[in-house]
């Protein structure tokens, strides 16, 4: 995950927004579990929550939502195993399908064009091999396949081009995930460029926030972007990156959906379909608020599931 300069040219919608919280079936959860505060997990699956789906960078459901009828799980193959006989992801997903779990979509390769800040750093040819072996077979079982989730940097477009070339027609993606960490104008322009490059795919915005911004800027960005996504029919799913407390946020405290005390911020409440809370997020004392990407949080998430 990384913030980038404005890409391409796209007419921007008027920057007018209301501080309301209309419901939206498109909204999902990037699940970032807290070892210190496990009760925070229940916030996102409460009866008042607007969220309908989630992913956790892994192939198996989060224990907190294993039996949830509210949040549909979307498995992800985070990186590509180097062993060409490794089919653990495919086996995990097929086991879930056989057990009766509704697996409608899968995601693949988290920021493979980057090795820092949470990126999986997977070469395009290795990713193509893994896709053909572990992702493509799921299509025959009716699962919709998400293209690799590259960064918002120019390297993302180049990596995808190399990936599809290496696939030699054997990788069929149904939708393309987008990551963005910058202002709204950049986000809208980037989505326009993605749409122009892949016009036959719908778009999922699976990570986004205005990193290291002021509280006013963060709230403005959230309201503008959510209304933008809800108006566009080819953006079918989106998941804001902020389901953690402000004092551990690597995208700045003002982007977080929870305060350092675990209360919903205005953004957090709006995202769940609620009203303004007037709870102001604060960062950790002495913490550098500069944007450093989501790498630490994502890696801690993966580690949490392994222990």
């Amino acid at each position: 995950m990384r913030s980038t300069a404005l890409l391409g040219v796209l007419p921007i919608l008027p920057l007018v927004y209301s501080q309301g919280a209309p419901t939206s079936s498109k909204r999902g959860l990037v699940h970032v579990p807290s070892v210190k505060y496990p009760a925070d997990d229940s916030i996102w699956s409460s009866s008042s929550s607007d969220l309908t789906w989630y992913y956790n960078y892994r192939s198996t459901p989060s224990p907190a939502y294993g039996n949830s009828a509210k949040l549909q799980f979307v498995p992800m193959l985070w990186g590509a195993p180097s062993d060409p006989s490794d089919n653990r992801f495919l086996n995990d997903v097929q086991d879930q399908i056989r057990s009766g779990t509704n697996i409608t979509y899968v995601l693949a390769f988290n920021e493979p064009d980057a090795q820092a800040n949470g990126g999986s750093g997977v070469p395009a040819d290795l990713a193509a091999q893994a896709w053909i072996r572990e992702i493509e077979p799921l299509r025959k079982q009716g699962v919709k396949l998400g293209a690799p989730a590259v960064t918002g940097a120019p390297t993302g477009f180049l990596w995808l081009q190399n990936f599809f070339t290496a696939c030699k027609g054997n990788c069929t993606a149904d939708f393309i995930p987008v990551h963005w960490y910058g202002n709204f104008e950049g986000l809208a322009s980037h989505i326009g460029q993605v749409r122009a490059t892949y016009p036959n795919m719908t778009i999922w915005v699976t990570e986004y926030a205005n990193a290291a911004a002021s509280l006013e800027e963060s709230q403005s960005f959230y309201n503008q972007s959510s209304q933008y996504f809800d108006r566009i029919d080819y953006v079918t799913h989106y998941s804001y990156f902020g389901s953690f407390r402000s004092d551990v946020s690597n995208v700045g405290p003002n982007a977080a959906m929870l305060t350092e005390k675990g209360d919903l911020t205005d953004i957090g409440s709006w995202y769940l379909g609620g009203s303004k809370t007037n709870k102001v997020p604060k960062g950790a004392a002495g913490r550098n608020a500069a944007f450093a990407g989501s790498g630490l949080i994502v890696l801690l998430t993966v580690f949490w599931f392994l222990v």
Side-chain angles (χ1 to χ4, degrees):
M1 132 183 353
R2 61 182 63 181
S3 178
T4 71
L6 187 66
L7 298 177
V9 177
L10 177 73
I12 302 301
L13 297 178
L15 304 184
V16 177
Y17 66 94
S18 61
Q19 291 186 339
T23 59
S24 173
S25 61
K26 296 182 179 184
R27 293 177 192 158
L29 171 70
V30 186
H31 183 218
V32 181
S34 171
V35 175
K36 189 175 182 180
Y37 302 106
D40 288 354
D41 288 338
S42 63
I43 294 172
W44 317 114
S45 60
S46 68
S47 59
S48 60
S49 170
D50 195 31
L51 310 185
T52 59
W53 63 278
Y54 80 99
Y55 78 100
N56 58 12
Y57 302 100
R58 291 178 54 80
S59 60
T60 54
S62 301
Y65 311 126
N67 297 316
S68 175
K70 181 179 180 61
L71 293 175
Q72 181 182 7
F73 177 58
V74 180
M76 171 183 263
L77 178 60
W78 181 83
S82 57
D83 184 350
S85 65
D86 189 332
N87 288 323
R88 281 177 292 180
F89 177 82
L90 176 61
N91 292 337
D92 282 347
V93 175
Q94 289 181 330
D95 284 347
Q96 292 170 68
I97 293 173
R98 281 192 288 268
S99 71
T101 302
N102 179 20
I103 302 295
T104 307
Y105 310 98
V106 294
L107 298 167
F109 311 124
N110 187 66
E111 301 190 347
D113 55 311
Q115 292 186 337
N117 297 333
S120 57
V122 180
D125 57 345
L126 180 60
Q129 295 169 20
W131 177 291
I132 294 169
R133 186 178 70 249
E134 297 209 72
I135 303 291
E136 195 69 24
L138 294 170
R139 169 173 291 279
K140 296 180 181 179
Q141 296 180 260
V143 179
K144 300 296 184 182
L145 313 180
V150 297
T151 68
T155 55
F157 284 100
L158 178 60
W159 191 97
L160 279 175
Q161 180 181 348
N162 292 336
F163 168 77
F164 285 116
T165 298
C167 285
K168 298 179 180 180
N170 295 308
C171 305
T172 310
D174 297 289
F175 60 92
I176 185 160
V178 166
H179 288 187
W180 186 261
Y181 291 89
N183 62 26
F184 172 73
E185 292 84 354
L187 169 66
S189 180
H190 182 61
I191 288 178
Q193 188 176 8
V194 172
R195 179 64 173 177
T197 306
Y198 300 100
N200 297 320
M201 293 190 203
T202 55
I203 292 175
W204 289 34
V205 185
T206 51
E207 285 187 22
Y208 75 103
N210 192 1
S214 70
L215 183 58
E216 181 179 2
E217 290 169 338
S218 296
Q219 292 179 345
S220 175
F221 170 83
Y222 169 75
N223 281 288
Q224 292 168 28
S225 58
S226 61
Q227 292 185 19
Y228 180 60
F229 297 152
D230 288 334
R231 284 196 296 265
I232 300 175
D233 58 359
Y234 58 78
V235 174
T236 62
H237 296 67
Y238 62 92
S239 49
Y240 183 79
F241 190 80
S243 62
F244 35 77
R245 298 194 180 202
S246 58
D247 57 346
V248 297
S249 173
N250 272 31
V251 290
N254 296 318
M257 291 197 282
L258 297 175
T259 69
E260 73 285 356
K261 296 181 180 179
D263 298 318
L264 284 169
T265 64
D266 290 344
I267 290 176
S269 183
W270 290 334
Y271 194 66
L272 299 187
S275 57
K276 190 172 183 178
T277 65
N278 294 314
K279 300 289 186 179
V280 179
K282 296 179 181 179
R287 190 187 188 113
N288 186 342
F291 173 59
S294 68
L296 178 60
I297 289 179
V298 172
L299 291 176
L300 286 176
T301 299
V302 175
F303 176 77
W304 185 90
F305 283 111
L306 293 175
V307 296

